[in-house]
Amino acid sequence: QKEVEQDPGPLSVPEGAIVSLNCTYSNSAFQYFMWYRQYSRKGPELLMYTYSSGNKEDGRFTAQVDKSSKYISLFIRDSQPSDSATYLCAMSASGTGGFKTIFGAGTRLFVKA
Amino acid sequence: EPEVTQTPSHQVTQMGQEVILRCVPISNHLYFYWYRQILGQKVEFLVSFYNNEISEKSEIFDDQFSVERPDGSNFTLKIRSTKLEDSAMYFCASRADRGPNYGYTFGSGTRLTVV
């Protein structure tokens, strides 16, 4: 079983739709959960981070973590064409030297105008 | 906003040659990383570096790879004898401190093409 699993998509939605992106993981030691956005041929850009279980909201973005199910989600409300990118879930465990982060494969999102 | 700067943006090299990829992390950051991303594949951890030494490395980071922080600002990745399968985007990243409250800041990457 892969340490982090993420559906690569692509996911295509109309402008204004609510987008749901998800990852599952197998390592129960993960405590820090992040979502990155990556535009083509660019480095990943941090969108959200969450510690342990719970929800976190930032503007149109909401991150959810369910540690009991080993499942994390990112919701994008009122999606815009500029949200078209690859979204990477990422996670790390405490106690690991330098907080090595493991990434999912990324989900490609297309938001159509 | 502070940035992680990587040079060159694109490097083409012949198989067997040595390459050095350069990074200037954000000035007050303490932890430094190299990741790579083969075209169409996931971002993979290579190595983390703190206090002038490697803190963790992956299976990918074999004896052909080395990292160095030769001065107070640069952080380099050297591949001693490149192979075709080393062709990928290489991303440098840094973070402010050991605490969990900050994700990485990534550079824009160096596209390495081994021919």
Side-chain angles (χ1 to χ4, degrees):
Chain A
Q1 184 183 11
K2 290 182 183 176
E3 210 166 11
V4 179
E5 301 227 34
Q6 183 177 11
D7 186 339
L11 180 62
S12 184
V13 301
E15 184 176 358
I18 296 175
V19 176
S20 172
L21 305 168
N22 311 293
C23 287
T24 59
Y25 63 95
S26 59
N27 187 348
S28 58
F30 288 142
Q31 296 189 58
Y32 307 103
F33 304 92
M34 291 146 281
W35 286 93
Y36 286 82
R37 179 174 60 198
Q38 186 178 26
Y39 293 110
S40 182
R41 297 176 184 263
K42 296 292 187 184
E45 170 196 11
L46 180 67
L47 278 179
M48 304 277 288
Y49 70 85
T50 313
Y51 171 67
S52 195
S53 287
N55 293 358
K56 187 170 185 177
E57 188 172 322
D58 184 2
R60 297 184 294 112
F61 298 90
T62 300
Q64 287 185 351
V65 175
D66 182 348
K67 288 191 71 181
S68 62
S69 303
K70 296 191 179 67
Y71 187 87
I72 70 170
S73 301
L74 177 71
F75 298 96
I76 307 174
R77 288 184 299 282
D78 186 26
S79 56
Q80 303 295 308
S82 58
D83 294 329
S84 298
T86 297
Y87 289 80
L88 310 171
C89 63
M91 44 202 80
S92 65
S94 64
T96 304
F99 287 89
K100 178 184 76 174
T101 297
I102 304 299
F103 286 82
T107 300
R108 292 195 70 190
L109 172 66
F110 296 96
V111 181
K112 299 171 292 185
Chain B
E1 189 167 327
E3 289 184 338
V4 174
T5 305
Q6 288 188 245
T7 55
S9 57
H10 190 190
Q11 172 101 39
V12 180
T13 189
Q14 289 199 328
M15 191 169 54
Q17 295 296 304
E18 174 183 288
V19 294
I20 297 176
L21 310 183
R22 291 184 164 79
C23 171
V24 179
I26 294 172
S27 61
N28 64 346
H29 282 190
L30 301 177
Y31 291 86
F32 313 111
Y33 308 85
W34 284 100
Y35 280 76
R36 81 171 185 190
Q37 187 175 33
I38 295 170
L39 186 63
Q41 298 187 27
K42 65 190 297 183
V43 176
E44 299 176 292
F45 171 77
L46 291 178
V47 66
S48 59
F49 192 87
Y50 170 70
N51 199 25
N52 287 320
E53 62 182 20
I54 291 172
S55 49
E56 191 165 358
K57 60 184 180 180
S58 72
E59 296 171 351
I60 303 167
F61 195 88
D62 61 21
D63 291 344
Q64 294 299 312
F65 291 86
S66 62
V67 290
E68 200 175 41
R69 189 156 161 82
D71 52 43
S73 59
N74 290 288
F75 179 50
T76 62
L77 174 69
K78 181 192 291 186
I79 309 175
R80 237 178 299 281
S81 177
T82 49
K83 303 187 284 286
L84 294 176
E85 54 264 39
D86 294 328
S87 296
M89 282 289 285
Y90 287 81
F91 293 108
C92 173
S94 66
R95 66 181 296 157
D97 59 27
R98 194 176 178 81
N101 292 324
Y102 303 97
Y104 301 164
T105 301
F106 280 88
S108 291
T110 293
R111 177 169 299 280
L112 176 66
T113 303
V114 182
V115 297

